[in-house]
Amino acid sequence: MIALYNFGQRSGVELDIASIDQQVPYSMADPLNGAYMRAVYGIGYQKALDGSLWAQRPEFIVSRRYVAKQ
């Protein structure tokens, strides 16, 4: 997503990005599991309803527990 955004910036192309910014647990053995797909769909649907689905740039939420201490 970062590479696409950077390419757009260099090329003068405006991008609208839709992404799921929440972690939804899933199994690599069953990545299209019905419960997983419903959860992802529900998040996207709610974002569309409240007008927050599309963004002009990628945003990444970093959990504090994964941030290296300095």
Side-chain angles (χ1 to χ4, degrees), residues 2-67:
I2 293 288
L4 182 60
Y5 172 74
N6 288 336
F7 176 78
Q9 291 293 298
R10 287 190 311 272
S11 303
V13 176
E14 287 188 29
L15 297 175
D16 288 324
I17 300 168
S19 64
I20 302 296
D21 57 357
Q22 298 177 31
Q23 289 185 348
V24 180
Y26 72 99
S27 167
M28 289 297 289
D30 188 16
L32 299 178
N33 176 282
Y36 167 75
M37 296 302 289
R38 282 188 294 279
V40 170
Y41 177 84
I43 293 168
Y45 184 79
Q46 187 58 48
K47 289 179 74 129
L49 287 178
D50 68 21
S52 66
L53 181 63
W54 297 102
Q56 294 292 313
R57 69 175 67 99
E59 296 180 22
F60 298 95
I61 299 171
V62 178
S63 172
R64 290 187 186 272
R65 64 184 164 168
Y66 297 115
V67 175

